Amino acid sequence: MIAHPGSEVRVLIRSRPTANFAQELIEYLPDGQTVSVHQRKDSRKGVVNNQLSSWSFRLDGVLHDVSQEEVYGRVGRGVVLGALEGYNGTVMCFGQTGAGKTYTMTGATESYKQRGIIPRALQEVFHEVEQRSDHAFSVHLSFLEIYNETLVDLLASVRGCPGVGPGGMAVVEEAGGGVSVRGLSLHPVHSEEAALNLLFEGEMNRIIGAHALNKNSSRSHCILTVHIESRSRTLSDAKYVTSKLNLVDLAGSERLGKTGSEGQVLKEAMYINKSLSFLEQAILALADRRRDHVPFRQTKLTHALKDSLGGNCNTVLVANIYGEASQIEETLSTLRFASRMKCVQMDPVVNEHTDPVLQVRKLEKEIQLLKQELSIHNTLIVSIRQIQEVFSQFKQAMQQQEQKVKAQLCQNYTLVEKSQSTAGSTAAKSQGSQGTVGVVEGHGFGVGLAVPSERHIRLLSPGRTKAIKTKELASQGRKEAVEGRSPGPGKQVESVNPVQRDREGREHDPQSQEPQGPPEPLRTDSPPPKAEAFEDFKAERGSEINRILKENKVVLLERRARLRELTEGVNTAKREIDSTSTALHQWRDKRQSQGQFVSAEGVPVLDEAELSLALHLRELKTQYRQQYEELRGTKAEVSYCQHLVDQCRTRLLTEFESWYNESFLLPEEVQAMLRSGGPIRPGLVPVYKALALEEDEQEHFERLRYELLADSPSAISFYNAQNRTVQRRNYSKAMSQTPVQKNTPRGSGRTKLPAILSVI
Ligand code: ADP
Ligand code: MG
């Protein structure tokens, strides 16, 4: 029952039972909220005989002939539960001596059933503290008495109490508009029993003090304050909430001055009247929204209650009346006070604070995470820059090579012409000239031409010329076979392919051994198995991206573990919600079969067990929602990390493939190109790929830059997804264009190219 902002202080009337209830003067209307008072004008004052004056007071409820339990339910419970949520709360009893203020607040101490609001509130606080296991509560008690403008600590006698400092006790203002009493002892309490012990100790001190000073306990104001602090156990949050629950038993409001008191009693009456009339003034000022000054500091009572009367506080006033005809003046005065109090507005807000130590710790953690994230980004960017640089240098080197090769080929071209004319081989001549022209007039890319040109030179070396001749002979033999001529004794030409024949020819003829290059270049120079090469690549060329990949994997695993944890937590919370909800429904069904609980006004009300189930369910739902939020965040993180890992893996594979192709497979293709003399097929020349990749890198780099600027996680996810798609497309394009030629028998002269990095 937490007041909505802008609502008024709740005011209830409670009447003390009496055999002489003035029925003709006091009328409780059936709405359960209105009291009408009819007063006969005093005939002795001679104005009008037997004339009746009537007043009607509409408040929030009339508690007539109502049990202590119901009073607690209608007056105290909402305020207590609010205090546990972080709202300040005040329950205050006002009325003449003997009207039942102490009975309402403390109750009859000897009877458990008749215990009042204070012991019930303490019980509820600790019951709730136990129930709300997701929060860590700390509860402290203080017990203040204000007697003749003197502040008395009713718990000063408790063992271990520090005692009042040299300045004595005083009401002091706190930052944020609150007040506290300097020198008032605050006692930590961990159980209902410990709290009740302190209550009884304070009550006892109040009585002893009354005897010693010959004072009447009903002439002092008493404020028992429960100080509550709560921190969430589930959220590693620096935020925490605090509240003060003030349970106030005011001094009797009767106007003693009029009854001709003397001495001590007169002095007391002056103080009480002063403090209560200032309380009334403060309340009038509070009720008047146009007034910006409220005279709180005029008495100790109003000063001490400054943050407990309306404003940021859930305030409930019980106006205790004694419904006998002789007390009608006091009853009227109490009801007037009550209706004024009803005009005071409340704007309760949760008192939320931030723990600076925890906040610093949380921020440090956040900074560390951000740094890690940044370092991952930086490493990616650095590696991309390196790759870009490599490609650009590679391109430059290839262009230089191209120039060199052009020059060399021009030289060789003349040589070829000469040697071919000597050998008289028209085939070689045409091949050589075609190849040379093809290269020179072909595409201007360097890489495809640089090294194969060496092989081209080798092709034209004496040994190679011999080989060509052998091939020619072989083809001649084949021609013979086709024509039905015997190639020679014991030889089945048809079953022997030209290469074999070539090899056999060389084996049989020691003269035919080539002086340059191995006899079987295909076997010695065949590319290493991909798996092996991949390991080498990861250790050397691809070590940086491999390292990033590993790092990303570690982060991904860690986030996944957290996600699993959170999922379990959310599921557990869900199961608990389901079981509590079932229990609540069962309870409701059971209760419905017994008929509905209604209040005195006929309004259906919840019983205690149902209320506590419903509250627990609400608590669980809040908890579930919080955990679910975190779960969603972590899910997004996991998918983000997954994107990073995929991205790195694709890059590693793409780079490996291009490195592998360029390192081991390229020369064959270039050779093929040289032989065919045709234009370079797209995809066969690695420079094409290099350039394409370079463009991709540029694009990728731009994208990453964008990512760093865009702090929205959804933007990052979007870009990662898009990037991955582009990469996958490039990768498959590159793969489809990569020539597969490991087993091609035309591998003669295959030489391992220098690794790309060595160009730098
Ligand atoms: P106050 O504190 O306002 O001076 P008390 O609480 O001491 O008044 O009440 C005076 C007497 O009336 C006490 O004996 C108390 O037990 C009795 N009394 C007051 N209200 C009730 C009530 N609602 N039911 C039963 N007894 C009551
Ligand atoms: Mg009393």
Side-chain angles (χ1 to χ4, degrees):
M1 233 191 288
I2 292 151
H4 301 291
S7 60
E8 284 120 20
V9 165
R10 289 185 69 234
V11 180
L12 295 102
I13 304 296
R14 189 179 198 195
S15 65
R16 175 188 162 177
T18 167
N20 306 315
F21 183 68
Q23 275 177 347
E24 71 288 0
L25 301 182
I26 302 169
E27 190 189 350
Y28 299 129
L29 265 59
D31 67 356
Q33 283 183 290
T34 314
V35 183
S36 290
V37 177
H38 314 285
Q39 198 186 17
R40 193 163 287 123
K41 293 256 166 121
D42 193 344
S43 55
R44 277 168 295 174
K45 284 184 181 165
V47 189
V48 185
N49 263 356
N50 285 337
Q51 193 184 333
L52 273 178
S53 294
S54 293
W55 293 269
S56 195
F57 302 92
R58 192 163 190 272
L59 302 147
D60 295 291
V62 176
L63 307 169
H64 180 58
D65 208 5
V66 162
S67 72
Q68 291 283 70
E69 192 184 342
E70 193 179 335
V71 170
Y72 175 72
R74 293 187 60 191
V75 174
R77 180 165 293 127
V79 181
V80 171
L81 294 176
L84 286 156
E85 301 284 342
Y87 295 93
N88 287 341
T90 297
V91 178
M92 194 159 68
C93 284
F94 179 91
Q96 69 179 108
T97 299
K101 297 184 296 297
T102 306
Y103 181 80
T104 302
M105 288 315 295
T106 313
T109 36
E110 66 279 3
S111 158
Y112 182 74
K113 214 178 157 201
Q114 289 179 57
R115 69 201 192 284
I117 289 172
I118 297 177
R120 284 170 200 269
L122 293 174
Q123 187 179 34
E124 180 120 61
V125 164
F126 286 99
H127 176 74
E128 284 296 314
V129 164
E130 254 172 53
Q131 296 295 305
R132 302 179 187 203
S133 51
D134 55 331
H135 280 77
F137 286 91
S138 91
V139 181
H140 287 76
L141 283 194
S142 65
F143 208 170
L144 173 74
E145 183 181 32
I146 304 173
Y147 175 67
N148 288 358
E149 284 300 273
T150 307
L151 303 171
V152 181
D153 185 352
L154 289 174
L155 297 178
S157 60
V158 175
R159 236 169 7 127
C161 191
V164 189
M169 285 171 69
V171 181
V172 288
E173 307 260 342
E174 286 173 339
V179 286
S180 65
V181 180
R182 190 189 64 213
L184 180 66
S185 59
L186 264 183
H187 301 263
V189 271
H190 305 287
S191 66
E192 181 194 345
E193 196 187 325
L196 288 176
N197 283 341
L198 288 174
L199 169 68
F200 295 141
E201 173 97 11
E203 287 291 329
M204 187 59 74
N205 286 336
R206 198 180 174 191
I207 293 161
I208 294 168
H211 280 288
L213 286 169
N214 190 26
K215 75 175 185 195
N216 186 327
S217 67
S218 73
R219 311 264 161 79
S220 67
H221 312 287
C222 269
I223 307 170
L224 180 104
T225 308
V226 188
H227 306 255
I228 303 172
E229 186 184 299
S230 114
R231 288 167 194 266
S232 168
R233 287 189 211 269
T234 45
L235 305 171
S236 55
D237 215 338
K239 294 217 163 63
Y240 65 99
V241 294
T242 58
S243 60
K244 279 202 300 188
L245 173 63
N246 292 303
L247 304 164
V248 188
D249 185 356
L250 290 171
S253 59
E254 61 276 7
R255 284 162 295 173
L256 290 174
K258 277 189 180 170
T259 55
S261 318
E262 286 175 0
Q264 175 75 12
V265 174
L266 182 65
K267 191 179 159 200
E268 279 176 352
M270 272 165 54
Y271 280 124
I272 294 163
N273 281 351
K274 191 182 153 204
S275 64
L276 287 179
S277 69
F278 280 129
L279 177 65
E280 209 155 344
Q281 277 184 26
I283 281 162
L284 278 174
L286 280 169
D288 186 352
R289 290 237 142 180
R290 287 164 304 177
R291 284 183 61 171
D292 50 6
H293 177 70
V294 180
F296 283 118
R297 300 180 71 162
Q298 282 168 322
T299 65
K300 296 277 193 302
L301 176 73
T302 46
H303 202 187
L305 291 177
K306 185 185 168 191
D307 58 356
S308 310
L309 301 167
N312 177 26
C313 186
N314 249 324
T315 305
V316 182
L317 176 82
V318 179
N320 292 94
I321 56 170
Y322 192 20
E324 292 192 359
S326 58
Q327 305 299 325
I328 200 70
E329 283 279 351
E330 292 304 335
T331 299
L332 257 178
S333 145
T334 300
L335 290 172
R336 281 196 193 106
F337 178 85
S339 55
R340 270 178 215 131
M341 188 69 176
K342 184 132 184 58
C343 301
V344 176
Q345 303 272 315
M346 302 190 289
D347 289 308
V349 279
V350 171
N351 301 300
E352 200 173 60
H353 313 270
T354 306
D355 187 322
V357 178
L358 276 181
Q359 181 76 352
V360 167
R361 227 177 277 160
K362 195 180 151 201
L363 289 174
E364 275 173 355
K365 227 182 203 175
E366 233 170 75
I367 288 172
Q368 208 180 337
L369 271 175
L370 287 171
K371 271 185 182 167
Q372 278 172 359
E373 209 168 291
L374 194 66
S375 85
I376 291 175
H377 279 297
N378 283 347
T379 348
L380 266 176
I381 287 166
V382 166
S383 76
I384 286 160
R385 282 193 185 135
Q386 279 175 349
I387 291 163
Q388 275 185 313
E389 188 58 23
V390 167
F391 277 124
S392 92
Q393 294 210 20
F394 181 62
K395 199 169 145 190
Q396 222 180 335
M398 289 307 156
Q399 276 164 353
Q400 284 168 5
Q401 284 277 40
E402 186 190 4
Q403 297 303 322
K404 243 196 305 191
V405 169
K406 268 186 199 167
Q408 270 179 345
L409 283 173
C410 284
Q411 254 184 339
N412 286 343
Y413 182 72
T414 331
L415 282 171
V416 167
E417 281 289 290
K418 275 183 188 167
S419 63
Q420 274 182 350
S421 63
T422 323
S425 165
T426 46
K429 182 181 164 186
S430 76
Q431 199 174 32
S433 64
Q434 262 186 8
T436 314
V437 171
V439 171
V440 176
E441 291 177 359
H443 296 257
F445 300 116
V447 65
L449 309 176
V451 178
S453 63
E454 285 170 26
R455 233 175 295 138
H456 182 64
I457 293 161
R458 251 198 282 152
L459 260 175
L460 305 169
S461 69
R464 207 63 193 135
T465 320
K466 251 187 199 172
I468 294 167
K469 275 183 187 164
T470 321
K471 271 188 187 171
E472 278 167 10
L473 284 172
S475 66
Q476 210 178 347
R478 207 164 45 234
K479 222 162 122 192
E480 279 168 10
V482 170
E483 284 165 9
R485 273 181 272 163
S486 167
K491 286 203 174 174
Q492 295 295 312
V493 177
E494 288 81 3
S495 63
V496 180
N497 74 29
V499 177
Q500 268 176 322
R501 183 182 284 245
D502 191 18
R503 278 191 205 147
E504 281 161 16
R506 269 182 277 160
E507 272 165 21
H508 289 289
D509 179 12
Q511 294 284 311
S512 69
Q513 275 189 9
E514 292 184 31
Q516 288 173 32
E520 287 183 56
L522 179 66
R523 255 178 234 168
T524 49
D525 281 341
S526 64
K530 264 197 168 176
E532 233 173 69
F534 189 51
E535 288 310 311
D536 289 349
F537 178 77
K538 279 199 289 186
E540 292 161 29
R541 284 283 311 287
S543 66
E544 185 61 12
I545 188 78
N546 191 40
R547 186 183 64 74
I548 298 165
L549 174 65
K550 275 186 187 161
E551 267 176 25
N552 286 346
K553 275 184 186 166
V554 170
V555 179
L556 177 64
L557 282 178
E558 187 220 310
R559 298 318 295 151
R560 273 203 189 131
R562 178 78 191 124
L563 184 63
R564 261 196 304 280
E565 238 173 68
L566 282 168
T567 311
E568 269 163 31
V570 163
N571 286 340
T572 313
K574 180 74 181 65
R575 277 194 290 275
E576 221 182 314
I577 285 173
D578 290 346
S579 69
T580 313
S581 162
T582 314
L584 185 63
H585 281 116
Q586 281 170 353
W587 184 263
R588 277 182 181 152
D589 290 347
K590 196 178 126 200
R591 230 203 48 194
Q592 242 161 23
S593 65
Q594 294 167 351
Q596 215 171 25
F597 280 33
V598 286
S599 68
E601 298 94 310
V603 182
V605 291
L606 300 178
D607 69 10
E608 216 165 328
E610 187 181 353
L611 183 69
S612 106
L613 272 175
L615 284 169
H616 183 53
L617 190 63
R618 194 179 65 179
E619 188 65 25
L620 282 172
K621 281 184 179 166
T622 314
Q623 196 185 325
Y624 175 82
R625 254 175 247 128
Q626 283 164 349
Q627 283 188 348
Y628 189 75
E629 273 309 300
E630 203 190 333
L631 178 90
R632 266 185 26 184
T634 313
K635 241 185 194 164
E637 276 173 24
V638 165
S639 93
Y640 173 66
C641 291
Q642 183 68 60
H643 282 312
L644 280 181
V645 166
D646 290 349
Q647 202 171 301
C648 286
R649 191 177 286 133
T650 311
R651 286 183 56 77
L652 184 67
L653 284 172
T654 316
E655 282 173 23
F656 165 69
E657 284 297 341
S658 55
W659 171 78
Y660 186 86
N661 291 335
E662 285 157 21
S663 300
F664 303 112
L665 305 177
L666 173 69
E668 181 67 29
E669 279 312 303
V670 177
Q671 194 182 335
M673 179 198 73
L674 287 171
R675 279 211 198 99
S676 70
I680 298 164
R681 275 191 287 135
L684 289 182
V685 182
V687 168
Y688 167 83
K689 256 175 72 191
L691 287 176
L693 275 172
E694 195 177 13
E695 273 166 25
D696 285 349
E697 296 312 330
Q698 190 63 37
E699 227 176 82
H700 182 73
F701 177 62
E702 285 300 325
R703 210 168 282 143
L704 266 176
R705 221 164 49 142
Y706 184 88
E707 274 178 30
L708 279 176
L709 291 172
D711 57 357
S712 149
S714 58
I716 289 172
S717 302
F718 172 74
Y719 273 99
N720 274 339
Q722 198 189 46
N723 196 25
R724 202 148 60 123
T725 315
V726 169
Q727 281 194 346
R728 222 183 280 129
R729 204 181 50 213
N730 281 346
Y731 178 67
S732 56
K733 197 167 81 184
M735 289 299 101
S736 68
Q737 288 171 350
T738 303
V740 180
Q741 39 186 258
K742 277 178 269 180
N743 302 322
T744 315
R746 304 171 289 124
S748 57
R750 182 180 286 137
T751 316
K752 194 171 168 179
L753 272 179
I756 299 174
L757 266 181
S758 64
V759 176
I760 305 167

